Amino acid sequence: MSRYEVNRFLHDLSVDETARAAAQRDPADALRAYDLDDEERALLLDGQVGQLHQRGVHSFLLHHLQRFGVGGMTLETYVQRIRHETGDS
Amino acid sequence: MAEIVGALGVPHTPMFPMLVAREGPDSPTGRLFAEVRRHLEELRPDVLVIFDSDHLNTFFFDNLPTFAVGVTDRTWGPNDAPPGMERRDVPVHHDAAERLHAGLVDAGVDAAHSQRFSVDHSIMVPVHFLTPSLDVPIVPVFINGVAPPLPLARRCHALGQAVRAAVESWPAGLNVAVVASGSFSLEVGGPRIPDTAIAGVPDPDWAGTVTKHLTEGTVPALVDAATPQRLAQAGNVGGELLNWLALLGAIGDRRPVFCEPQAEHGHAYAAWRWDQ
């Protein structure tokens, strides 16, 4: 798992307006700019923040998914998944 | 000789500017920042040295310094889109920054430096409230407080001591105030957030312990207590305390003239001065 590329995507959500808008518009297309494997891509697209955190992705960076509503991520879903670390909600 | 004339510690919650804009200057948060600002304005510093923990916005894992000084004449922020904050240019005291970086390295504190950078809400929220007209140039001193391994508490305290020694070696008669930005216990987006919010305070008891040490001026005990394990328990941005330890290194074991503990929020507001 390339934690670096996952973290880089999340970092870009925070600091790069163009990358953020692209991710909000079409997450799957936006992720093509990152060197992710199939599992990473699936976890990001499914908003599995608990599982991503378990795999070493930085938790502060993960919250940008919720902050910018990427993939429709809601606070309720984010809290459920990050607190229980399972990804099931 | 240049000298450090006072110090200020504040949180940097990104919602605060919008909150105070909505609730007014007499809101609790507005009044606390106003009190700290009053001390700052009475100190009349020529430059603010801000100890700050960037949230992986200014820096990232491609090149992440443990300590760094911003050496330029102008920066901008916030770079991380906090709600209700417009982008603003912020003056940096280039000469002081350059001297500070050189002084740290000469003292054996091998800080990195950056000549081209922007800053996130952790600089812009304090600046928004403390110098809203941006009339006092800053020197940002970045401390990694969010991406373990974090620097040890005693190293951050020593960083502050080195900052003081560097300032006091400058020939120019600059008055310097130091600022610490950040919380003592806070989890943002991590597994210890509460049921209903993206951020929470996992360890209010630790925040209370920190403010007790601050109030009593028991700095060595606080440095000893702030182990990596203790900071990790305090939350995924609990390392922001390191900014306050650097501040204390810069001013010595003094008691604040103002300290408003807010353990339930994981932070405090404080001011140190010795001109009265």
Side-chain angles (χ1 to χ4, degrees):
Chain A
M1 171 135 185
S2 170
R3 283 180 300 173
Y4 180 82
E5 285 295 297
V6 178
N7 281 328
R8 188 167 72 88
F9 168 68
L10 299 167
H11 163 78
D12 286 350
L13 292 179
S14 183
V15 301
D16 185 332
E17 287 181 30
T18 303
R20 183 189 314 142
Q24 289 170 322
R25 185 172 57 247
D26 186 341
D29 187 57
L31 288 179
R32 294 183 205 283
Y34 301 86
D35 187 14
L36 303 166
D37 64 26
D38 291 344
E39 181 195 31
E40 293 160 352
R41 190 173 296 105
L43 289 172
L44 280 169
L45 289 175
D46 201 27
Q48 297 295 350
V49 292
Q51 294 186 44
L52 288 163
H53 182 243
Q54 283 185 323
R55 285 161 171 76
V57 176
H58 197 285
S59 56
F60 188 94
L61 290 174
L62 278 170
H63 101 284
H64 297 318
L65 289 173
Q66 183 273 330
R67 188 157 75 100
F68 298 114
V70 175
M73 176 63 76
T74 64
L75 176 62
E76 184 181 21
T77 299
Y78 187 96
V79 166
Q80 170 67 20
R81 291 178 178 176
I82 200 72
R83 278 170 56 94
H84 298 286
E85 300 278 335
T86 64
D88 300 321
S89 63
Chain B
M1 179 181 93
E3 63 177 323
I4 293 175
V5 296
L8 311 147
V10 291
H12 57 234
T13 307
M15 305 296 177
F16 279 172
M18 191 172 69
L19 177 77
V20 174
R22 188 173 64 223
E23 297 185 355
D26 289 331
S27 61
T29 300
R31 281 189 283 108
L32 286 165
F33 272 110
E35 176 64 7
V36 177
R37 179 181 166 187
R38 179 180 70 81
H39 289 289
L40 173 66
E41 291 178 343
E42 290 176 3
L43 289 166
R44 301 172 59 83
D46 301 302
V47 58
L48 295 181
V49 172
I50 303 181
F51 293 112
D52 173 58
S53 291
D54 163 59
H55 304 79
L56 297 170
N57 291 308
T58 298
F59 300 103
F60 183 60
F61 293 116
D62 58 339
N63 202 344
L64 185 67
T66 296
F67 301 136
V69 181
V71 182
T72 183
D73 58 4
R74 189 158 296 272
T75 185
W76 67 269
N79 58 15
D80 58 333
M85 294 190 76
E86 299 292 324
R87 171 180 167 151
R88 300 181 75 186
D89 287 346
V90 181
V92 177
H93 198 300
H94 189 280
D95 182 58
E98 197 163 56
R99 287 175 183 273
L100 183 61
H101 177 244
L104 291 178
V105 174
D106 282 348
V109 179
D110 301 323
H113 81 288
S114 176
Q115 298 182 9
R116 186 170 185 269
F117 62 96
S118 55
V119 295
D120 76 8
H121 69 273
S122 59
I123 294 268
M124 294 308 293
V125 170
V127 164
H128 171 89
F129 286 109
L130 299 181
T131 58
S133 57
L134 298 173
D135 54 345
V136 185
I138 69 170
V139 174
V141 178
F142 299 102
I143 297 173
N144 172 22
V146 303
L150 308 183
L152 296 173
R154 62 181 168 80
R155 291 292 297 155
C156 296
H157 186 259
L159 167 70
Q161 292 175 317
V163 165
R164 178 175 58 186
V167 167
E168 292 179 349
S169 74
W170 299 345
L174 284 178
N175 288 334
V176 177
V178 295
V179 176
S181 172
S183 294
F184 311 145
S185 174
L186 188 63
E187 177 95 349
V188 181
R192 287 170 295 168
I193 58 176
D195 281 331
T196 54
I198 199 64
V201 179
D203 200 347
D205 288 347
W206 171 242
T209 298
V210 171
T211 51
K212 184 170 185 292
H213 283 304
L214 290 177
T215 304
E216 296 176 354
T218 48
V219 178
L222 176 58
V223 171
D224 286 345
T227 63
Q229 296 75 19
R230 201 67 193 73
L231 297 186
Q233 288 175 33
N236 64 357
V237 292
E240 290 173 357
L241 172 65
L242 297 171
N243 299 315
W244 293 67
L245 298 183
L247 175 152
L248 294 167
I251 65 170
D253 300 350
R254 300 175 185 273
R255 296 184 181 206
V257 296
F258 166 72
C259 185
E260 179 69 22
Q262 295 199 312
E264 72 279 17
H265 298 306
H267 58 230
Y269 299 75
W272 292 259
R273 57 193 293 188
W274 39 92
D275 60 334
Q276 297 172 317

